[in-house]
Amino acid sequence: HAHYATVLRAAAAGGARALGFDVFFDIPREKWVPDLDRQFAAAFQEVSASTPVIMGYDTLQLSAQLPRVYMLASMQGALGFTNLTFDDDGFARRQELQGRGREATESFATRLALLYLQAERAVMDPQRRALRLGSRTLPLDAEGFLRVHYWGPAGTFPTISMADVLAAAQKQDAAQLERWFRGKTVLIGTLDPTDRQPTPFYSAGGSQGQMMPGVEIHANVLATILEQRFLREVSPA
């Protein structure tokens, strides 16, 4: 928690435009180490006062009691679900941008896109064939999902090691932090093997295939929205 708190502060100090936190703390740690949740919640509150922070959460792992940071984020409208959308073969080619039902919660990438576009909320077409973010309209497929335009295989987006960020923060190397983060939307996530998924670039990794970290899939979703490089299905003819 202390390391993630340092990374949030470092990215904000480096001039990040917005931060997306794709690591879900599913239960409070106070019972075991009382200060951990407080440290991270304090960092979120401090950073979000000047740099918007979207906290990702997993709807499948929601518990009755969550760490305080999620209550703070909820009050600020700074939550986005990180559940990925998979096709029948287990590949991530599309992404749900807005949940269904009365609450119509928004995805991690949708929340970050709204910040970037300075739009207040996402409005779904009644037939779920398009989603409007401010003046921008996103075409959706027949099931109401966005087809993700992947920029390339895993590792296409620039990645900075958390250890390097912590080292720069410890040295108070403001110039390096600015080179990394100035004006960027920064996604903070993990390269945990259990969070890697197959995408249309799976075979680009050779005979063994190459799985993509979930945080980079979200980066591709966000880039698809912001760059407006939409994929459209053509007829068989």
Side-chain angles (χ1 to χ4, degrees):
H1 289 58
H3 294 322
Y4 281 124
T6 298
V7 169
L8 282 183
R9 291 188 173 104
R17 180 170 182 158
L19 303 173
F21 192 79
D22 182 25
V23 180
F24 182 48
F25 299 141
D26 53 348
I27 58 172
R29 268 63 170 181
E30 309 233 351
K31 178 179 175 182
W32 300 279
V33 187
D35 203 39
L36 289 187
D37 293 326
R38 184 203 63 77
Q39 284 184 45
F40 189 75
F44 169 82
Q45 207 159 10
E46 175 191 322
V47 170
S48 61
S50 58
T51 305
V53 182
I54 298 299
M55 294 295 300
Y57 68 96
D58 187 335
T59 61
L60 300 178
Q61 295 181 16
L62 287 177
S63 59
Q65 187 179 10
L66 289 174
R68 183 167 179 264
V69 66
Y70 294 101
M71 290 181 278
L72 294 173
S74 179
M75 290 165 59
Q76 297 180 24
L79 286 176
F81 64 81
T82 56
N83 304 68
L84 295 172
T85 303
F86 298 104
D87 287 338
D88 292 340
D89 58 3
F91 276 64
R93 299 183 182 90
R94 308 176 297 162
Q95 177 60 34
E96 185 174 27
L97 299 181
Q98 187 181 78
R100 299 162 195 261
R102 261 186 359 182
E103 294 184 5
T105 53
E106 292 164 342
S107 76
F108 186 62
T110 303
R111 291 302 313 161
L112 287 165
L114 286 169
L115 285 177
Y116 191 94
L117 299 170
Q118 298 182 327
E120 196 170 318
R121 59 191 294 264
V123 180
M124 181 67 73
D125 175 274
Q127 283 75 44
R128 296 189 69 87
R129 297 305 300 267
L131 183 70
R132 192 167 70 253
L133 307 183
S135 61
R136 188 164 299 187
T137 300
L138 317 182
L140 306 179
D141 68 11
E143 295 179 69
F145 301 142
L146 176 74
R147 295 182 182 275
V148 184
H149 187 144
Y150 283 96
W151 262 239
T156 297
F157 280 77
T159 302
I160 303 160
S161 167
M162 185 171 176
D164 291 341
V165 177
L166 294 173
Q170 186 176 22
K171 294 176 186 174
Q172 298 184 341
D173 190 345
Q176 179 61 70
L177 293 176
E178 289 207 9
R179 281 194 291 272
W180 283 332
F181 303 127
R182 174 64 62 186
K184 306 283 180 63
T185 295
V186 180
L187 305 189
I188 300 167
T190 174
L191 300 183
D192 183 345
T194 64
D195 190 37
R196 290 174 176 263
Q197 309 297 339
T199 73
F201 276 93
Y202 177 77
S203 62
S207 60
Q208 299 300 313
Q210 188 176 27
M211 310 281 261
M212 183 176 289
V215 66
E216 191 169 4
I217 294 176
H218 290 300
N220 278 279
V221 177
L222 179 59
T224 300
I225 296 171
L226 298 183
E227 298 289 338
Q228 301 187 80
R229 293 177 63 181
F230 303 124
L231 299 177
R232 298 176 185 273
E233 187 172 6
V234 296
S235 71

